[in-house]
mmCIF file of all heavy atoms in Angstrom:
data_model
loop_
_atom_site.group_PDB
_atom_site.id
_atom_site.type_symbol
_atom_site.label_atom_id
_atom_site.label_comp_id
_atom_site.label_asym_id
_atom_site.label_seq_id
_atom_site.Cartn_x
_atom_site.Cartn_y
_atom_site.Cartn_z
ATOM 1 N N MET A 283 0.852 -1.164 0.000
ATOM 2 C CA MET A 283 0.000 0.000 0.000
ATOM 3 C C MET A 283 0.908 1.240 0.000
ATOM 4 O O MET A 283 1.793 1.360 0.828
ATOM 5 C CB MET A 283 -0.891 -0.028 1.243
ATOM 6 C CG MET A 283 -1.854 1.125 1.304
ATOM 7 S SD MET A 283 -2.962 1.069 2.730
ATOM 8 C CE MET A 283 -4.107 -0.176 2.216
ATOM 9 N N THR A 284 0.644 2.124 -0.922
ATOM 10 C CA THR A 284 1.455 3.329 -1.026
ATOM 11 C C THR A 284 1.035 4.355 0.030
ATOM 12 O O THR A 284 -0.004 4.221 0.681
ATOM 13 C CB THR A 284 1.317 3.962 -2.419
ATOM 14 O OG1 THR A 284 -0.033 4.392 -2.586
ATOM 15 C CG2 THR A 284 1.688 2.995 -3.518
ATOM 16 N N ASN A 285 1.867 5.379 0.191
ATOM 17 C CA ASN A 285 1.551 6.428 1.161
ATOM 18 C C ASN A 285 0.257 7.142 0.806
ATOM 19 O O ASN A 285 -0.532 7.499 1.685
ATOM 20 C CB ASN A 285 2.696 7.438 1.248
ATOM 21 C CG ASN A 285 3.900 6.865 1.941
ATOM 22 O OD1 ASN A 285 3.795 5.916 2.710
ATOM 23 N ND2 ASN A 285 5.054 7.439 1.668
ATOM 24 N N PHE A 286 0.038 7.355 -0.489
ATOM 25 C CA PHE A 286 -1.182 8.036 -0.931
ATOM 26 C C PHE A 286 -2.416 7.207 -0.574
ATOM 27 O O PHE A 286 -3.414 7.746 -0.071
ATOM 28 C CB PHE A 286 -1.122 8.301 -2.435
ATOM 29 C CG PHE A 286 -2.328 9.010 -2.959
ATOM 30 C CD1 PHE A 286 -2.571 10.330 -2.622
ATOM 31 C CD2 PHE A 286 -3.229 8.356 -3.783
ATOM 32 C CE1 PHE A 286 -3.693 10.989 -3.097
ATOM 33 C CE2 PHE A 286 -4.352 9.001 -4.267
ATOM 34 C CZ PHE A 286 -4.582 10.323 -3.924
ATOM 35 N N GLN A 287 -2.357 5.906 -0.816
ATOM 36 C CA GLN A 287 -3.490 5.038 -0.490
ATOM 37 C C GLN A 287 -3.744 5.009 1.013
ATOM 38 O O GLN A 287 -4.887 5.005 1.463
ATOM 39 C CB GLN A 287 -3.244 3.629 -1.002
ATOM 40 C CG GLN A 287 -3.288 3.510 -2.499
ATOM 41 C CD GLN A 287 -2.863 2.140 -2.981
ATOM 42 O OE1 GLN A 287 -2.120 1.441 -2.299
ATOM 43 N NE2 GLN A 287 -3.312 1.760 -4.166
ATOM 44 N N ARG A 288 -2.676 4.999 1.797
ATOM 45 C CA ARG A 288 -2.814 5.024 3.248
ATOM 46 C C ARG A 288 -3.467 6.321 3.710
ATOM 47 O O ARG A 288 -4.331 6.322 4.581
ATOM 48 C CB ARG A 288 -1.430 4.873 3.881
ATOM 49 C CG ARG A 288 -1.420 3.917 5.034
ATOM 50 C CD ARG A 288 -0.022 3.715 5.568
ATOM 51 N NE ARG A 288 0.546 2.542 4.929
ATOM 52 C CZ ARG A 288 1.792 2.424 4.518
ATOM 53 N NH1 ARG A 288 2.644 3.388 4.682
ATOM 54 N NH2 ARG A 288 2.208 1.319 3.952
ATOM 55 N N ASP A 289 -3.055 7.436 3.125
ATOM 56 C CA ASP A 289 -3.645 8.726 3.481
ATOM 57 C C ASP A 289 -5.118 8.788 3.106
ATOM 58 O O ASP A 289 -5.935 9.324 3.858
ATOM 59 C CB ASP A 289 -2.885 9.869 2.813
ATOM 60 C CG ASP A 289 -1.491 10.065 3.379
ATOM 61 O OD1 ASP A 289 -1.240 9.579 4.505
ATOM 62 O OD2 ASP A 289 -0.662 10.687 2.696
ATOM 63 N N ILE A 290 -5.472 8.242 1.954
ATOM 64 C CA ILE A 290 -6.882 8.201 1.534
ATOM 65 C C ILE A 290 -7.695 7.351 2.508
ATOM 66 O O ILE A 290 -8.799 7.737 2.918
ATOM 67 C CB ILE A 290 -7.006 7.644 0.093
ATOM 68 C CG1 ILE A 290 -6.373 8.588 -0.906
ATOM 69 C CG2 ILE A 290 -8.454 7.359 -0.262
ATOM 70 C CD1 ILE A 290 -7.092 9.913 -1.049
ATOM 71 N N LEU A 291 -7.157 6.202 2.917
ATOM 72 C CA LEU A 291 -7.855 5.325 3.853
ATOM 73 C C LEU A 291 -8.082 6.015 5.190
ATOM 74 O O LEU A 291 -9.187 5.979 5.743
ATOM 75 C CB LEU A 291 -7.057 4.030 4.054
ATOM 76 C CG LEU A 291 -7.629 3.017 5.030
ATOM 77 C CD1 LEU A 291 -8.939 2.465 4.495
ATOM 78 C CD2 LEU A 291 -6.639 1.905 5.269
ATOM 79 N N ILE A 292 -7.066 6.675 5.706
ATOM 80 C CA ILE A 292 -7.195 7.391 6.984
ATOM 81 C C ILE A 292 -8.210 8.523 6.858
ATOM 82 O O ILE A 292 -9.042 8.735 7.745
ATOM 83 C CB ILE A 292 -5.822 7.907 7.444
ATOM 84 C CG1 ILE A 292 -4.922 6.731 7.819
ATOM 85 C CG2 ILE A 292 -5.961 8.866 8.618
ATOM 86 C CD1 ILE A 292 -3.469 7.104 8.024
ATOM 87 N N GLY A 293 -8.172 9.255 5.751
ATOM 88 C CA GLY A 293 -9.134 10.331 5.532
ATOM 89 C C GLY A 293 -10.562 9.835 5.442
ATOM 90 O O GLY A 293 -11.482 10.447 6.004
ATOM 91 N N LEU A 294 -10.771 8.722 4.758
ATOM 92 C CA LEU A 294 -12.118 8.161 4.648
ATOM 93 C C LEU A 294 -12.645 7.674 5.993
ATOM 94 O O LEU A 294 -13.831 7.844 6.300
ATOM 95 C CB LEU A 294 -12.130 7.017 3.633
ATOM 96 C CG LEU A 294 -12.016 7.429 2.173
ATOM 97 C CD1 LEU A 294 -11.913 6.192 1.285
ATOM 98 C CD2 LEU A 294 -13.194 8.287 1.763
ATOM 99 N N MET A 295 -11.766 7.065 6.797
ATOM 100 C CA MET A 295 -12.199 6.637 8.125
ATOM 101 C C MET A 295 -12.559 7.838 8.994
ATOM 102 O O MET A 295 -13.525 7.793 9.756
ATOM 103 C CB MET A 295 -11.116 5.802 8.797
ATOM 104 C CG MET A 295 -11.060 4.384 8.287
ATOM 105 S SD MET A 295 -9.974 3.355 9.251
ATOM 106 C CE MET A 295 -8.390 3.915 8.673
ATOM 107 N N PHE A 296 -11.794 8.918 8.880
ATOM 108 C CA PHE A 296 -12.089 10.127 9.653
ATOM 109 C C PHE A 296 -13.419 10.732 9.225
ATOM 110 O O PHE A 296 -14.246 11.110 10.062
ATOM 111 C CB PHE A 296 -10.952 11.138 9.478
ATOM 112 C CG PHE A 296 -11.091 12.344 10.334
ATOM 113 C CD1 PHE A 296 -10.870 12.273 11.690
ATOM 114 C CD2 PHE A 296 -11.460 13.563 9.782
ATOM 115 C CE1 PHE A 296 -11.003 13.389 12.499
ATOM 116 C CE2 PHE A 296 -11.591 14.688 10.574
ATOM 117 C CZ PHE A 296 -11.362 14.598 11.933
ATOM 118 N N ILE A 297 -13.668 10.791 7.927
ATOM 119 C CA ILE A 297 -14.938 11.333 7.422
ATOM 120 C C ILE A 297 -16.108 10.442 7.832
ATOM 121 O O ILE A 297 -17.166 10.932 8.220
ATOM 122 C CB ILE A 297 -14.870 11.513 5.894
ATOM 123 C CG1 ILE A 297 -13.902 12.648 5.559
ATOM 124 C CG2 ILE A 297 -16.250 11.790 5.310
ATOM 125 C CD1 ILE A 297 -13.586 12.779 4.093
ATOM 126 N N ALA A 298 -15.906 9.121 7.788
ATOM 127 C CA ALA A 298 -16.959 8.208 8.237
ATOM 128 C C ALA A 298 -17.242 8.399 9.722
ATOM 129 O O ALA A 298 -18.394 8.315 10.159
ATOM 130 C CB ALA A 298 -16.557 6.763 7.955
ATOM 131 N N GLY A 299 -16.202 8.678 10.504
ATOM 132 C CA GLY A 299 -16.396 8.954 11.927
ATOM 133 C C GLY A 299 -17.200 10.215 12.153
ATOM 134 O O GLY A 299 -18.072 10.266 13.015
ATOM 135 N N ILE A 300 -16.910 11.251 11.371
ATOM 136 C CA ILE A 300 -17.663 12.502 11.494
ATOM 137 C C ILE A 300 -19.119 12.287 11.112
ATOM 138 O O ILE A 300 -20.029 12.750 11.803
ATOM 139 C CB ILE A 300 -17.021 13.604 10.630
ATOM 140 C CG1 ILE A 300 -15.681 14.023 11.224
ATOM 141 C CG2 ILE A 300 -17.947 14.809 10.500
ATOM 142 C CD1 ILE A 300 -14.892 14.979 10.357
ATOM 143 N N LEU A 301 -19.355 11.584 10.014
ATOM 144 C CA LEU A 301 -20.739 11.328 9.588
ATOM 145 C C LEU A 301 -21.482 10.470 10.608
ATOM 146 O O LEU A 301 -22.674 10.692 10.861
ATOM 147 C CB LEU A 301 -20.749 10.664 8.214
ATOM 148 C CG LEU A 301 -20.278 11.536 7.048
ATOM 149 C CD1 LEU A 301 -20.246 10.733 5.756
ATOM 150 C CD2 LEU A 301 -21.168 12.764 6.910
ATOM 151 N N GLY A 302 -20.796 9.488 11.188
ATOM 152 C CA GLY A 302 -21.417 8.674 12.234
ATOM 153 C C GLY A 302 -21.755 9.488 13.456
ATOM 154 O O GLY A 302 -22.793 9.285 14.086
ATOM 155 N N PHE A 303 -20.885 10.428 13.812
ATOM 156 C CA PHE A 303 -21.138 11.290 14.974
ATOM 157 C C PHE A 303 -22.333 12.195 14.721
ATOM 158 O O PHE A 303 -23.177 12.382 15.599
ATOM 159 C CB PHE A 303 -19.893 12.117 15.286
ATOM 160 C CG PHE A 303 -20.017 12.939 16.521
ATOM 161 C CD1 PHE A 303 -19.896 12.352 17.765
ATOM 162 C CD2 PHE A 303 -20.280 14.302 16.444
ATOM 163 C CE1 PHE A 303 -20.008 13.110 18.919
ATOM 164 C CE2 PHE A 303 -20.399 15.063 17.582
ATOM 165 C CZ PHE A 303 -20.265 14.472 18.824
ATOM 166 N N ILE A 304 -22.418 12.748 13.519
ATOM 167 C CA ILE A 304 -23.531 13.644 13.180
ATOM 168 C C ILE A 304 -24.859 12.883 13.189
ATOM 169 O O ILE A 304 -25.878 13.400 13.639
ATOM 170 C CB ILE A 304 -23.282 14.315 11.818
ATOM 171 C CG1 ILE A 304 -22.137 15.329 11.945
ATOM 172 C CG2 ILE A 304 -24.532 14.992 11.293
ATOM 173 C CD1 ILE A 304 -21.668 15.890 10.619
ATOM 174 N N SER A 305 -24.837 11.640 12.710
ATOM 175 C CA SER A 305 -26.079 10.883 12.638
ATOM 176 C C SER A 305 -26.459 10.239 13.967
ATOM 177 O O SER A 305 -27.521 9.630 14.071
ATOM 178 C CB SER A 305 -25.978 9.804 11.556
ATOM 179 O OG SER A 305 -25.034 8.826 11.926
ATOM 180 N N GLY A 306 -25.597 10.364 14.975
ATOM 181 C CA GLY A 306 -25.951 9.857 16.289
ATOM 182 C C GLY A 306 -25.445 8.462 16.579
ATOM 183 O O GLY A 306 -25.772 7.883 17.615
ATOM 184 N N GLU A 307 -24.660 7.888 15.706
ATOM 185 C CA GLU A 307 -24.103 6.547 15.917
ATOM 186 C C GLU A 307 -22.748 6.696 16.607
ATOM 187 O O GLU A 307 -21.691 6.603 15.999
ATOM 188 C CB GLU A 307 -23.976 5.825 14.583
ATOM 189 C CG GLU A 307 -25.307 5.645 13.890
ATOM 190 C CD GLU A 307 -25.166 5.087 12.495
ATOM 191 O OE1 GLU A 307 -24.027 4.870 12.054
ATOM 192 O OE2 GLU A 307 -26.197 4.873 11.858
ATOM 193 N N PHE A 308 -22.806 6.904 17.918
ATOM 194 C CA PHE A 308 -21.606 7.279 18.655
ATOM 195 C C PHE A 308 -20.609 6.127 18.783
ATOM 196 O O PHE A 308 -19.400 6.357 18.801
ATOM 197 C CB PHE A 308 -21.984 7.823 20.025
ATOM 198 C CG PHE A 308 -22.840 9.049 19.937
ATOM 199 C CD1 PHE A 308 -24.146 9.035 20.359
ATOM 200 C CD2 PHE A 308 -22.335 10.215 19.389
ATOM 201 C CE1 PHE A 308 -24.934 10.164 20.262
ATOM 202 C CE2 PHE A 308 -23.116 11.358 19.284
ATOM 203 C CZ PHE A 308 -24.416 11.326 19.722
ATOM 204 N N ILE A 309 -21.083 4.910 18.871
ATOM 205 C CA ILE A 309 -20.166 3.769 18.983
ATOM 206 C C ILE A 309 -19.394 3.598 17.684
ATOM 207 O O ILE A 309 -18.166 3.416 17.706
ATOM 208 C CB ILE A 309 -20.948 2.485 19.349
ATOM 209 C CG1 ILE A 309 -21.549 2.622 20.744
ATOM 210 C CG2 ILE A 309 -20.041 1.270 19.267
ATOM 211 C CD1 ILE A 309 -22.470 1.501 21.132
ATOM 212 N N ILE A 310 -20.078 3.690 16.557
ATOM 213 C CA ILE A 310 -19.408 3.540 15.266
ATOM 214 C C ILE A 310 -18.437 4.693 15.036
ATOM 215 O O ILE A 310 -17.314 4.478 14.563
ATOM 216 C CB ILE A 310 -20.451 3.446 14.132
ATOM 217 C CG1 ILE A 310 -21.238 2.145 14.269
ATOM 218 C CG2 ILE A 310 -19.788 3.537 12.771
ATOM 219 C CD1 ILE A 310 -22.385 2.009 13.320
ATOM 220 N N SER A 311 -18.839 5.905 15.378
ATOM 221 C CA SER A 311 -17.944 7.042 15.169
ATOM 222 C C SER A 311 -16.713 6.934 16.060
ATOM 223 O O SER A 311 -15.606 7.261 15.629
ATOM 224 C CB SER A 311 -18.669 8.357 15.412
ATOM 225 O OG SER A 311 -19.024 8.508 16.760
ATOM 226 N N THR A 312 -16.875 6.450 17.280
ATOM 227 C CA THR A 312 -15.730 6.265 18.170
ATOM 228 C C THR A 312 -14.768 5.234 17.613
ATOM 229 O O THR A 312 -13.544 5.430 17.633
ATOM 230 C CB THR A 312 -16.213 5.827 19.567
ATOM 231 O OG1 THR A 312 -17.119 6.795 20.076
ATOM 232 C CG2 THR A 312 -15.046 5.653 20.516
ATOM 233 N N ILE A 313 -15.303 4.152 17.095
ATOM 234 C CA ILE A 313 -14.456 3.108 16.496
ATOM 235 C C ILE A 313 -13.729 3.659 15.274
ATOM 236 O O ILE A 313 -12.533 3.399 15.080
ATOM 237 C CB ILE A 313 -15.302 1.872 16.135
ATOM 238 C CG1 ILE A 313 -15.779 1.178 17.407
ATOM 239 C CG2 ILE A 313 -14.522 0.903 15.263
ATOM 240 C CD1 ILE A 313 -16.804 0.091 17.173
ATOM 241 N N MET A 314 -14.410 4.439 14.450
ATOM 242 C CA MET A 314 -13.774 5.003 13.254
ATOM 243 C C MET A 314 -12.670 5.994 13.618
ATOM 244 O O MET A 314 -11.596 5.981 13.019
ATOM 245 C CB MET A 314 -14.807 5.680 12.359
ATOM 246 C CG MET A 314 -15.688 4.709 11.642
ATOM 247 S SD MET A 314 -14.675 3.610 10.639
ATOM 248 C CE MET A 314 -15.858 3.027 9.515
ATOM 249 N N PHE A 315 -12.930 6.860 14.605
ATOM 250 C CA PHE A 315 -11.905 7.808 15.041
ATOM 251 C C PHE A 315 -10.699 7.075 15.613
ATOM 252 O O PHE A 315 -9.556 7.432 15.341
ATOM 253 C CB PHE A 315 -12.455 8.787 16.076
ATOM 254 C CG PHE A 315 -13.313 9.870 15.499
ATOM 255 C CD1 PHE A 315 -14.521 10.181 16.080
ATOM 256 C CD2 PHE A 315 -12.904 10.596 14.397
ATOM 257 C CE1 PHE A 315 -15.316 11.188 15.571
ATOM 258 C CE2 PHE A 315 -13.703 11.600 13.869
ATOM 259 C CZ PHE A 315 -14.904 11.895 14.468
ATOM 260 N N ALA A 316 -10.941 6.054 16.421
ATOM 261 C CA ALA A 316 -9.839 5.294 17.016
ATOM 262 C C ALA A 316 -9.033 4.569 15.950
ATOM 263 O O ALA A 316 -7.793 4.566 15.987
ATOM 264 C CB ALA A 316 -10.386 4.298 18.033
ATOM 265 N N THR A 317 -9.711 3.971 14.986
ATOM 266 C CA THR A 317 -9.022 3.273 13.909
ATOM 267 C C THR A 317 -8.199 4.237 13.068
ATOM 268 O O THR A 317 -7.048 3.937 12.711
ATOM 269 C CB THR A 317 -10.040 2.531 13.014
ATOM 270 O OG1 THR A 317 -10.869 1.700 13.835
ATOM 271 C CG2 THR A 317 -9.343 1.677 11.988
ATOM 272 N N ALA A 318 -8.750 5.394 12.767
ATOM 273 C CA ALA A 318 -8.007 6.392 11.997
ATOM 274 C C ALA A 318 -6.783 6.868 12.775
ATOM 275 O O ALA A 318 -5.702 7.035 12.196
ATOM 276 C CB ALA A 318 -8.902 7.574 11.649
ATOM 277 N N ALA A 319 -6.922 7.054 14.074
ATOM 278 C CA ALA A 319 -5.787 7.495 14.886
ATOM 279 C C ALA A 319 -4.698 6.430 14.944
ATOM 280 O O ALA A 319 -3.507 6.743 14.830
ATOM 281 C CB ALA A 319 -6.259 7.835 16.292
ATOM 282 N N ILE A 320 -5.087 5.187 15.096
ATOM 283 C CA ILE A 320 -4.104 4.102 15.147
ATOM 284 C C ILE A 320 -3.384 3.972 13.817
ATOM 285 O O ILE A 320 -2.150 3.869 13.776
ATOM 286 C CB ILE A 320 -4.786 2.781 15.554
ATOM 287 C CG1 ILE A 320 -5.219 2.845 17.017
ATOM 288 C CG2 ILE A 320 -3.860 1.594 15.320
ATOM 289 C CD1 ILE A 320 -6.118 1.710 17.440
ATOM 290 N N PHE A 321 -4.132 3.953 12.705
ATOM 291 C CA PHE A 321 -3.498 3.849 11.391
ATOM 292 C C PHE A 321 -2.605 5.050 11.110
ATOM 293 O O PHE A 321 -1.543 4.912 10.519
ATOM 294 C CB PHE A 321 -4.539 3.710 10.286
ATOM 295 C CG PHE A 321 -5.054 2.309 10.106
ATOM 296 C CD1 PHE A 321 -6.297 2.090 9.554
ATOM 297 C CD2 PHE A 321 -4.310 1.216 10.477
ATOM 298 C CE1 PHE A 321 -6.788 0.811 9.381
ATOM 299 C CE2 PHE A 321 -4.781 -0.071 10.314
ATOM 300 C CZ PHE A 321 -6.027 -0.276 9.767
ATOM 301 N N SER A 322 -3.023 6.227 11.549
ATOM 302 C CA SER A 322 -2.214 7.425 11.341
ATOM 303 C C SER A 322 -0.901 7.322 12.109
ATOM 304 O O SER A 322 0.169 7.650 11.573
ATOM 305 C CB SER A 322 -2.990 8.662 11.783
ATOM 306 O OG SER A 322 -2.200 9.810 11.625
ATOM 307 N N ASN A 323 -0.957 6.865 13.346
ATOM 308 C CA ASN A 323 0.262 6.699 14.138
ATOM 309 C C ASN A 323 1.174 5.634 13.558
ATOM 310 O O ASN A 323 2.395 5.790 13.563
ATOM 311 C CB ASN A 323 -0.076 6.368 15.587
ATOM 312 C CG ASN A 323 -0.596 7.563 16.334
ATOM 313 O OD1 ASN A 323 -0.265 8.691 16.000
ATOM 314 N ND2 ASN A 323 -1.408 7.307 17.342
ATOM 315 N N ILE A 324 0.600 4.556 13.057
ATOM 316 C CA ILE A 324 1.400 3.514 12.425
ATOM 317 C C ILE A 324 2.067 4.057 11.168
ATOM 318 O O ILE A 324 3.253 3.805 10.918
ATOM 319 C CB ILE A 324 0.539 2.278 12.102
ATOM 320 C CG1 ILE A 324 0.149 1.564 13.386
ATOM 321 C CG2 ILE A 324 1.270 1.319 11.170
ATOM 322 C CD1 ILE A 324 -0.870 0.450 13.184
ATOM 323 N N ALA A 325 1.337 4.816 10.375
ATOM 324 C CA ALA A 325 1.891 5.368 9.131
ATOM 325 C C ALA A 325 3.004 6.354 9.433
ATOM 326 O O ALA A 325 4.038 6.346 8.765
ATOM 327 C CB ALA A 325 0.787 6.035 8.326
ATOM 328 N N VAL A 326 2.830 7.193 10.442
ATOM 329 C CA VAL A 326 3.864 8.191 10.778
ATOM 330 C C VAL A 326 5.107 7.501 11.298
ATOM 331 O O VAL A 326 6.227 7.821 10.896
ATOM 332 C CB VAL A 326 3.317 9.204 11.806
ATOM 333 C CG1 VAL A 326 4.437 10.048 12.389
ATOM 334 C CG2 VAL A 326 2.276 10.092 11.160
ATOM 335 N N SER A 327 4.933 6.515 12.180
ATOM 336 C CA SER A 327 6.112 5.824 12.727
ATOM 337 C C SER A 327 6.810 5.006 11.637
ATOM 338 O O SER A 327 8.026 4.892 11.635
ATOM 339 C CB SER A 327 5.717 4.945 13.902
ATOM 340 O OG SER A 327 4.873 3.889 13.489
ATOM 341 N N HIS A 328 6.039 4.465 10.695
ATOM 342 C CA HIS A 328 6.628 3.713 9.590
ATOM 343 C C HIS A 328 7.447 4.640 8.693
ATOM 344 O O HIS A 328 8.517 4.250 8.223
ATOM 345 C CB HIS A 328 5.531 3.003 8.786
ATOM 346 C CG HIS A 328 6.050 2.209 7.649
ATOM 347 N ND1 HIS A 328 6.779 1.062 7.825
ATOM 348 C CD2 HIS A 328 5.955 2.391 6.308
ATOM 349 C CE1 HIS A 328 7.118 0.583 6.632
ATOM 350 N NE2 HIS A 328 6.613 1.384 5.704
ATOM 351 N N ARG A 329 6.958 5.855 8.460
ATOM 352 C CA ARG A 329 7.688 6.812 7.636
ATOM 353 C C ARG A 329 8.969 7.255 8.320
ATOM 354 O O ARG A 329 9.995 7.477 7.674
ATOM 355 C CB ARG A 329 6.822 8.024 7.328
ATOM 356 C CG ARG A 329 5.712 7.729 6.361
ATOM 357 C CD ARG A 329 4.866 8.956 6.111
ATOM 358 N NE ARG A 329 3.647 8.587 5.400
ATOM 359 C CZ ARG A 329 2.585 9.343 5.314
ATOM 360 N NH1 ARG A 329 2.568 10.523 5.898
ATOM 361 N NH2 ARG A 329 1.522 8.937 4.650
ATOM 362 N N LEU A 330 8.930 7.423 9.642
ATOM 363 C CA LEU A 330 10.118 7.871 10.369
ATOM 364 C C LEU A 330 11.171 6.771 10.450
ATOM 365 O O LEU A 330 12.367 7.063 10.395
ATOM 366 C CB LEU A 330 9.726 8.327 11.787
ATOM 367 C CG LEU A 330 8.889 9.585 11.884
ATOM 368 C CD1 LEU A 330 8.499 9.843 13.328
ATOM 369 C CD2 LEU A 330 9.640 10.779 11.312
ATOM 370 N N LEU A 331 10.743 5.533 10.595
ATOM 371 C CA LEU A 331 11.693 4.430 10.715
ATOM 372 C C LEU A 331 12.210 3.947 9.364
ATOM 373 O O LEU A 331 13.309 3.432 9.277
ATOM 374 C CB LEU A 331 11.047 3.258 11.465
ATOM 375 C CG LEU A 331 10.689 3.506 12.909
ATOM 376 C CD1 LEU A 331 9.974 2.310 13.501
ATOM 377 C CD2 LEU A 331 11.938 3.825 13.721
ATOM 378 N N GLY A 332 11.396 4.068 8.343
ATOM 379 C CA GLY A 332 11.745 3.497 7.037
ATOM 380 C C GLY A 332 12.287 4.487 6.143
ATOM 381 O O GLY A 332 13.032 4.574 5.325
#
């Protein structure tokens, strides 16, 4: 997976979290925000180490 694809995936998860929060699905939005944060941290640490 390229850096661009990873960034698109993280962005889509963040947008899905926002839409879930707006629609009142707080559990789904929390999971999406957490997943986006974890993937973002993994991507940043991978870029720094690699």
Side-chain angles (χ1 to χ4, degrees):
M283 182 177 284
T284 65
N285 288 337
F286 181 69
Q287 290 173 335
R288 224 176 266 140
D289 291 341
I290 294 293
L291 179 66
I292 292 169
L294 287 175
M295 282 189 284
F296 186 73
I297 291 171
I300 290 173
L301 292 176
F303 185 77
I304 290 171
S305 67
E307 299 173 358
F308 299 113
I309 294 173
I310 293 173
S311 67
T312 303
I313 291 170
M314 287 302 200
F315 283 133
T317 307
I320 290 169
F321 278 155
S322 178
N323 286 333
I324 290 172
V326 168
S327 65
H328 180 69
R329 289 179 192 163
L330 292 176
L331 295 176

